[in-house]
């Protein structure tokens, strides 16, 4: 379905007076107000095609009803998200979960909704139907060259799909690793991975990039061949300028200083971008900002400072994408919440008094530095986000509009109660 603009306008009209009061109250203390609003209006976060259905665990999966049955319907759902928040204008596909059989038609369908395609993601962590060789013991690091070749060819095929959709990046995450000591020769596994990635890298055109993701554990629990940012950075450095490190917020051991990691990667020009989510224990893939919003703010504080230092455009300098999928929420509402949390952290980072913070750091004034950060973090910037959405033609209250307009009810009526989307 497609949301009509007049319906959003009618919903906004009921909230305008309240919004104006809140906005004027916050705006009075924002020195660079128009600059902040313009940056918020330009900042978009890609939506993964696999997050449009209800997620699940190895114990079960429970459809929420009206889930998209095809790539075209997933695009329509992203169109709904973008119509509501005006901050989700791109889609990231996971191959082979979502193969664009007719790329021209798929692109045209997306364009009608104001959407384009972000990075494409390969999948060698599962065996697919009719697949000749198994990835049970790994893919790009596998001891069998034939298995590695199969995985390489899959990644190259994903690049071809991406080119048809005008995407510009391949995202690679490997589950390759080991469950028991002695199962794997670490050095040979890493070397096999590097050689495999070099073949994939050679298939990239000059305007394409490869983003290398890392994860410390799961589904393998003794070792992961690309287990941390250092191993990803090492591979990206050996590959060349078109390779960089992709950071998934859930792919870290508890207590990891992610803000320091991204600061250093950005400094070295090797930060590809983000998969945003949140976690309590591990790779929980929870709604962004639902567990540790302060850490998200601290990450964005380093990002804004680092991007400004390198002269990068905040909206396009690196890649921004959600990678969250939970099994008890409406997927569209979950995505709206995640995008809102990301942009709240971004807005808070934009209003940090950077000159004063630098002075406090230079003077080793620890208390002042802490106060400056927490003053920005404790500022309710939601009215700024609402104003940016309003200026962009979105909803003042995206989830409220989604519910008021009974979008899920209409999707169930159109698609059925028991549909289950492809993906996680």
């Amino acid at each position: 379905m497609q949301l009509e603009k007049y319906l959003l306008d009618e919903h906004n009209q009921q909230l305008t007076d309240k919004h104006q009061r809140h906005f004027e109250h916050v705006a009075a203390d924002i020195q660079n107000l128009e600059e902040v609003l313009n940056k918020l209006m330009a900042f978009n976060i890609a939506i993964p095609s696999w997050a449009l259905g209800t997620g699940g665990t190895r114990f079960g999966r429970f459809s929420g009803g009206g889930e998209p049955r095809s790539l075209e319907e997933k695009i329509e759902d992203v169109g709904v998200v973008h119509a509501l928040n005006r901050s989700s204008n791109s889609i990231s596909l996971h191959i082979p979960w979502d193969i664009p059989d007719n790329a021209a038609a798929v692109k045209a369908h997306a364009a009608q909704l104001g959407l384009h395609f972000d990075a494409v993601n390969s999948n060698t962590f599962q065996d697919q139907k009719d697949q000749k060789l198994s990835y049970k013991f790994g893919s790009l690091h596998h001891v069998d060259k034939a298995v590695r070749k199969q995985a390489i060819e899959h990644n190259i095929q994903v690049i071809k799909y991406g080119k048809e959709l005008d995407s510009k990046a391949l995202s690679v995450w490997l589950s390759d690793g080991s469950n028991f000591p002695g199962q794997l020769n670490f050095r040979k596994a890493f070397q096999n991975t590097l050689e495999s990635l070099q073949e994939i890298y050679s298939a990239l055109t000059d305007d394409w990039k490869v983003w290398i993701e890392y994860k410390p554990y799961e589904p393998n629990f003794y070792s992961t061949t690309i287990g941390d940012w250092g191993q990803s950075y090492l591979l990206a450095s050996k590959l060349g300028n078109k390779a960089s490190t992709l950071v998934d917020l859930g792919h870290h051991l508890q207590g990891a200083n992610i803000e320091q990691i991204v600061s250093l990667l950005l400094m070295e020009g090797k930060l590809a971008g983000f998969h945003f989510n949140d976690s309590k224990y591990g790779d929980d893939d929870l709604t962004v900002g639902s567990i540790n919003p302060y850490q998200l703010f601290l990450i964005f504080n380093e990002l804004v400072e680092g991007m400004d230092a390198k002269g990068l455009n905040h909206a396009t300098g690196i890649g921004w994408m959600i990678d969250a999928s939970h099994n008890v929420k409406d997927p569209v509402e979950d995505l709206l919440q995640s995008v809102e949390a990301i942009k709240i952290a971004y807005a808070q980072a934009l209003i940090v008094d950077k000159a004063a913070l630098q002075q406090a750091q230079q003077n080793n004034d620890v208390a002042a530095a802490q106060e400056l950060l927490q003053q920005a973090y404790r500022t309710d910037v939601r009215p700024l986000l609402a104003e940016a959405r309003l200026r962009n033609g979105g909803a003042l209250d995206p989830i409220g509009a989604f519910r008021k307009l009974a979008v899920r009810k209409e999707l169930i009526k159109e698609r059925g109660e028991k549909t289950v989307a492809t993906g996680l």
Side-chain angles (χ1 to χ4, degrees):
M1 66 176 296
Q2 188 170 348
L3 290 181
E4 298 292 342
K5 181 68 166 58
Y6 78 90
L7 294 174
L8 295 181
D9 291 341
E10 289 177 357
H11 187 263
N12 286 342
Q13 190 63 38
Q14 301 169 20
L15 305 173
T16 299
D17 291 344
K18 182 179 180 181
H19 161 68
Q20 197 62 36
R21 292 195 305 272
H22 290 177
F23 173 66
E24 289 175 358
H25 175 72
V26 175
D29 294 324
I30 307 298
Q31 293 182 350
N32 53 339
L33 177 63
E34 288 304 315
E35 179 186 354
V36 169
L37 289 174
N38 287 333
K39 287 180 177 179
L40 288 173
M41 290 170 67
F43 195 82
N44 279 261
I45 300 100
I47 302 296
S49 62
W50 62 91
L52 278 309
T54 307
T57 70
R58 66 184 184 276
F59 296 106
R61 182 176 179 183
F62 307 95
S63 172
E67 294 190 10
R69 300 161 295 183
S70 64
L71 174 56
E72 287 73 18
E73 289 184 351
K74 290 183 178 183
I75 292 171
E76 290 173 8
D77 285 7
V78 177
V80 169
V81 173
H82 185 53
L84 290 165
N85 67 15
R86 304 306 297 175
S87 300
S88 306
N89 65 0
S90 60
I91 310 163
S92 183
L93 297 188
H94 214 298
I95 310 296
W97 292 340
D98 295 297
I99 296 178
D101 293 325
N102 185 335
V106 167
K107 278 199 303 182
H109 185 46
Q112 288 178 343
L113 301 173
L115 308 174
H116 63 274
F117 289 90
D118 202 82
V120 285
N121 303 261
S122 60
N123 181 339
T124 61
F125 54 85
Q126 293 175 324
D127 285 348
Q128 306 299 329
K129 184 181 178 181
D130 300 325
Q131 182 177 306
K132 183 179 179 181
L133 301 171
S134 176
Y135 296 133
K136 180 178 180 179
F137 296 107
S139 58
L140 296 185
H141 88 181
H142 204 285
V143 295
D144 187 342
K145 187 174 183 178
V147 177
R148 299 199 300 272
K149 186 174 186 298
Q150 177 181 271
I152 291 166
E153 289 174 350
H154 166 70
N155 278 274
I156 292 173
Q157 181 61 54
V158 172
I159 293 171
K160 292 178 180 177
Y161 284 129
K163 287 181 178 179
E164 292 176 353
L165 296 172
D166 296 330
S167 177
K168 296 296 181 184
L170 168 70
S171 176
V172 177
W173 173 70
L174 304 178
S175 66
D176 294 12
S178 64
N179 271 303
F180 299 98
Q183 176 184 336
L184 197 65
N185 182 298
F186 295 147
R187 179 178 53 79
K188 290 181 179 178
F190 190 86
Q191 188 63 36
N192 284 344
T193 302
L194 173 59
E195 292 174 1
S196 298
L197 285 171
Q198 285 171 334
E199 289 194 49
I200 296 167
Y201 188 88
S202 66
L204 299 174
T205 51
D206 290 341
D207 58 342
W208 262 68
K209 299 182 183 299
V210 59
W211 298 348
I212 304 170
E213 199 170 349
Y214 59 88
K215 188 176 183 180
Y217 70 92
E218 194 185 39
N220 286 287
F221 289 90
Y222 175 64
S223 73
T224 305
T225 298
I226 311 179
D228 58 34
W229 73 276
Q231 293 167 27
S232 172
Y233 174 78
L234 180 59
L235 288 166
S237 298
K238 288 178 176 291
L239 288 173
N241 293 333
K242 292 182 287 187
S244 49
T245 294
L246 180 66
V247 176
D248 184 304
L249 296 188
H251 289 189
H252 300 86
L253 299 176
Q254 288 193 15
N257 192 326
I258 303 174
E259 51 268 39
Q260 185 177 25
I261 292 170
V262 302
S263 175
L264 296 176
L265 287 171
L266 186 56
M267 179 182 72
E268 291 298 307
K270 283 295 186 181
L271 179 61
F274 284 88
H275 280 180
F276 288 107
N277 46 53
D278 212 336
S279 64
K280 175 68 174 175
Y281 298 107
D283 188 25
D284 305 339
D285 274 351
L286 299 177
T287 313
V288 184
S290 61
I291 303 295
N292 197 349
Y294 188 53
Q295 182 186 49
L296 185 64
F297 159 70
L298 294 175
I299 289 169
F300 265 101
N301 180 60
E302 296 298 332
L303 288 170
V304 168
E305 192 276 335
M307 287 189 291
D308 285 347
K310 297 184 78 69
L312 294 177
N313 183 298
H314 292 185
T316 60
I318 61 177
W320 314 101
M321 196 190 85
I322 291 172
D323 187 7
S325 178
H326 208 249
N327 60 340
V328 295
K329 285 184 182 177
D330 184 297
V332 172
E333 291 187 352
D334 184 69
L335 289 166
L336 289 170
Q337 287 180 319
S338 285
V339 172
E340 181 81 349
I342 293 166
K343 296 196 72 169
I344 286 173
Y346 176 50
Q348 290 167 334
L350 289 175
I351 65 172
V352 170
D353 187 336
K354 295 173 181 58
L357 180 60
Q358 289 173 3
Q359 187 64 46
Q361 292 168 340
Q362 189 67 29
N363 294 336
N364 292 316
D365 192 339
V366 181
Q370 180 182 339
E371 286 298 307
L372 286 163
L373 286 182
Q374 293 192 349
Q375 181 179 348
Y377 174 68
R378 289 169 177 156
T379 300
D380 184 0
V381 296
R382 290 176 297 174
L384 301 182
L385 271 63
E387 178 66 17
R389 280 195 301 273
L390 186 63
R391 294 186 184 189
N392 269 341
L396 284 171
D397 177 10
I399 290 181
F402 178 80
R403 293 188 171 193
K404 182 75 173 179
L405 299 175
V407 177
R408 181 56 58 185
K409 182 178 179 180
E410 291 301 314
L411 291 174
I412 291 173
K413 185 187 302 184
E414 177 184 322
R415 301 170 182 172
E417 184 74 49
K418 299 298 183 181
T419 59
V420 178
T422 56
L424 293 176

